[in-house]
Amino acid sequence: MVRLTIDNKKIKVEEGTTLLETAQKLNIEIPTLCHHQALKPYGACRVCLVEVIKGSRLGLVASCTYPAEEGLVARTETERVKRARRLSIELLLARCPTSEKVREVALELGVKKVRFKEEKEECILCGLCVRVCEEAIAKSAISFINRGADREVTTPFKIGSLACIGCGACVYLCPTGAIKIEDVRKCRRLDFWNTKLELKKCKVCGKHFVPLVELDYLKDRIKSFEEMELPEEALEVCPKCRKRILSEKAGEFIFGEKYP
Amino acid sequence: MRKIDRIIKRHKKKGALVPLLQDVMAEYGYLPQRTIERISQELDIPLSQVYSLATFYKSFSLTPRGKYLISVCLGTACHVRGAPRIVEKLERDLGIRAGETTKDSKFTLETVNCLGACALGPLVVIDGKYFGRINLSRLDEVLKDYLK
Ligand code: SF4
Ligand code: FES
Ligand code: FES
C-alpha cells in the first residue's frame, strides 16, 4: 500500500493504482478521452493532466498512466492544470471539430473557440479501438501505422482485414464516431477498416444477423455449451427470435401446454 | 532453402522483429507484402503489429527501392545551408518526388532528418557514400557517375 494526497485529501491505495483511479476513489472528477477502465492506459489525449509535487519539483503528468507513489502530492484543480487541459482539448478540437465527445469535454473545460487551423480529421488517435481489439477481443485486426504527423489507425496494408470478426467493439468505444458499422443485406460493412464480412442467416426468420467469422469466434470462446445449459443452436437464431422462443418456452412452463 | 526461409529461421527463436525486417530489407531492398504476411504467421505475431512496425521506421520500405538510394539531409544545419535546393534539383533531374523511385528502378530519393554530420552539411548520401558540403554543380558531377 502507498499513501498519497490528492487535493488535500489523504488516501491509501494498492501499489500500481494510477492517479486517475485514486482520484476516482476520492470522488474527484478528472476528464478523460482515451481511457477505459477495462483496457491498459495509454496516455494519448492529455486531457487528464494533473499536477504532482515531488519534493520541490512540480510537474504535469497524465493521471491515467501515472502510478500512485508513497508521499506523492497531487492537485487537480489549479490554474496550471486547467490551462494545460484546455490546451490539450483545444488541439484535439481543432483536429476533429465535429466530434460530439470532444466538443462535450471542450465545453466542460470551458473551451469555446479554437485558435488553431481546423482540420477535418475523424480520428484523434486515442487508440481505444486498437487496444480493445487486442486486449479484449484478442484479434489485433488494426494498429497504428507510420509516425509523427502521418500516424493513423488502420488495417494491415489498408485493405480488408482477415482478422476482424466484425464484433463492433471498436465502434462502441470510439469517442469520435469515426468507425461506422452497418449491415447491408448479407454483408456487415466496416468501411473505416475497409472490411466486409458475410452474415449468417437466422434459422427462424431468415434475417442475416451475425458475421460467420464472429459466430465461429463465439463458438470457440464458449468452451462448454452443456455447462452453460445452452443448446449449440442458440447462436444460429437471431436475438429477436431467440427472445421470442425463450418467452414462449417460459409461457409454456408457467401456463402449461396450451399457452398462448 | 530459399533466402527468405533462412532469414526467418535465423530470427525465429528470438522472435526479434526489427533485425529480421532489417535482414529482409538488405536482401530484397524492400518488405514485400507476402513476406510480411509470412513473418506474421511464422513468428505468431498479429499481422497488424508487424505492419505497424514496418511502417514506423524510415529505413523500412514497403515498396521496391531503386538500385541506388539517395538520401538528402534536411536537418536544421543542412537545411539552412541550402539542402532544400539540393532536393529540388534531384527531384527535377530524376523526374520523381522525394520518397519515390525512378521508373527504371535505378534511384530512390528520400529525405532524412540530420545524419549527425552537421559540420559537413549540406549532406547527400548516395548508395552509402557520403558527399559533404555539396552544391548544385558538384552534385551534377557526382550524379554523372551514377547515371552512366
Ligand atoms: S478510430 Fe476512434 S477509437 Fe480508434 S483511435 Fe481513432 S478516435 Fe480512437
Ligand atoms: S485519459 Fe489520460 S491521457 Fe487520455
Ligand atoms: S543537419 Fe544534416 S547532418 Fe545534421
Side-chain angles (χ1 to χ4, degrees):
Chain A
M1 295 299 261
V2 291
R3 280 161 306 174
L4 66 160
T5 314
I6 303 184
D7 290 349
N8 296 321
K9 292 181 194 147
K10 288 195 173 24
I11 185 170
K12 229 161 96 182
V13 294
E14 204 86 39
E15 214 161 313
T17 313
T18 63
L19 284 187
L20 178 67
E21 288 160 342
T22 313
Q24 280 163 349
K25 279 191 215 296
L26 290 166
N27 284 323
I28 295 169
E29 256 188 62
I30 294 176
T32 64
L33 266 179
C34 70
H35 181 261
H36 190 284
Q37 64 193 46
L39 302 174
K40 287 195 200 115
Y42 188 59
C45 73
R46 318 310 280 183
V47 301
C48 69
L49 291 173
V50 299
E51 203 170 69
V52 297
I53 302 146
K54 265 202 289 184
S56 59
R57 300 228 346 242
L58 219 100
L60 285 169
V61 302
S63 63
C64 66
T65 53
Y66 203 90
E69 288 168 2
E70 181 66 37
L72 182 132
V73 177
R75 294 221 191 87
T76 74
E77 284 294 334
T78 64
E79 258 322 298
R80 189 149 166 256
V81 167
K82 283 186 198 156
R83 241 186 298 132
R85 285 183 190 166
R86 269 193 230 120
L87 180 61
S88 303
I89 198 72
E90 191 179 343
L91 286 162
L92 292 173
L93 194 57
R95 184 183 167 91
C96 298
T98 54
S99 158
E100 285 290 325
K101 188 75 203 283
V102 175
R103 290 165 68 134
E104 197 184 294
V105 175
L107 211 64
E108 263 171 48
L109 294 172
V111 172
K112 284 180 208 117
K113 272 228 297 283
V114 170
R115 292 165 294 169
F116 311 108
K117 195 172 134 251
E118 284 197 357
E119 285 165 37
K120 283 202 186 66
E121 290 288 342
E122 291 179 289
C123 168
I124 57 166
L125 302 173
C126 70
L128 280 167
C129 52
V130 176
R131 281 176 285 154
V132 77
C133 194
E134 179 184 348
E135 294 171 33
I137 314 298
K139 282 295 176 191
S140 293
I142 46 181
S143 63
F144 282 106
I145 69 157
N146 302 329
R147 68 185 153 139
D150 298 327
R151 197 164 154 88
E152 58 180 310
V153 285
T154 185
T155 52
F157 307 101
K158 300 194 179 183
I159 54 175
S161 165
L162 293 176
C164 174
I165 56 166
C167 69
C170 53
V171 183
Y172 184 69
L173 287 192
C174 177
T176 67
I179 320 161
K180 308 247 172 2
I181 192 167
E182 200 186 1
D183 287 356
V184 188
R185 272 175 296 155
K186 293 179 181 168
C187 204
R188 178 163 294 178
R189 301 178 55 144
L190 290 112
D191 290 351
F192 199 69
W193 306 136
N194 312 307
T195 297
K196 279 190 199 144
L197 300 166
E198 198 188 329
L199 293 173
K200 187 179 169 61
K201 216 167 154 178
C202 166
K203 261 196 170 163
V204 179
C205 71
K207 197 178 165 271
H208 290 84
F209 74 105
V210 66
L212 295 171
V213 281
E214 185 179 1
L215 199 64
D216 290 341
Y217 171 85
L218 288 172
K219 282 182 180 162
D220 230 37
R221 271 204 129 169
I222 301 176
K223 292 264 159 42
S224 157
F225 282 86
E226 263 161 53
E227 223 169 82
M228 290 179 71
E229 293 183 36
L230 204 64
E232 203 154 324
E233 302 86 64
L235 295 175
E236 320 242 312
V237 179
C238 78
K240 223 167 149 190
C241 291
R242 204 182 306 146
K243 215 162 151 190
R244 211 197 59 236
I245 295 169
L246 277 179
S247 59
E248 274 171 16
K249 283 231 170 86
E252 273 166 31
F253 183 75
I254 300 168
F255 301 111
E257 285 277 338
K258 266 178 277 151
Y259 176 83
Chain B
M1 208 200 259
R2 284 173 59 216
K3 277 180 194 148
I4 181 66
D5 297 319
R6 244 179 279 137
I7 296 176
I8 291 181
K9 198 174 162 214
R10 186 155 64 226
H11 294 282
K12 200 170 171 175
K13 244 228 206 96
K14 271 202 182 147
L17 217 41
V18 172
L20 200 173
L21 295 183
Q22 277 174 323
D23 284 0
V24 176
M25 273 307 288
E27 189 59 49
Y28 298 92
Y30 77 114
L31 305 173
Q33 177 171 341
R34 266 178 301 114
T35 310
I36 293 185
E37 284 163 356
R38 180 136 172 242
I39 290 169
S40 146
Q41 272 169 13
E42 296 235 2
L43 273 72
D44 202 15
I45 300 171
L47 184 58
S48 64
Q49 281 165 23
V50 185
Y51 182 64
S52 177
L53 196 75
T55 59
F56 188 82
Y57 295 104
K58 264 216 167 163
S59 55
F60 294 148
S61 169
L62 293 174
T63 47
R65 278 191 173 167
K67 184 162 170 226
Y68 303 118
L69 174 65
I70 307 183
S71 317
V72 186
C73 178
L74 276 183
T76 315
C78 292
H79 200 279
V80 297
R81 286 183 184 154
R85 257 174 295 138
I86 306 280
V87 179
E88 271 164 36
K89 179 177 165 54
L90 282 165
E91 288 184 329
R92 227 174 18 239
D93 288 1
L94 300 172
I96 51 170
R97 304 262 303 263
E100 294 177 351
T101 300
T102 52
K103 278 226 182 69
D104 60 1
S105 296
K106 200 151 179 202
F107 297 100
T108 296
L109 179 65
E110 65 166 23
T111 60
V112 292
N113 298 321
C114 192
L115 290 159
C118 309
L120 291 179
L123 193 62
V124 173
V125 187
I126 306 179
D127 198 24
K129 257 180 97 182
Y130 284 65
F131 298 94
R133 302 230 172 84
I134 198 113
N135 53 35
L136 297 184
S137 55
R138 259 204 61 218
L139 184 62
D140 261 334
E141 252 165 64
V142 170
L143 265 186
K144 238 185 262 156
D145 289 342
Y146 291 92
L147 281 167
K148 270 188 281 194

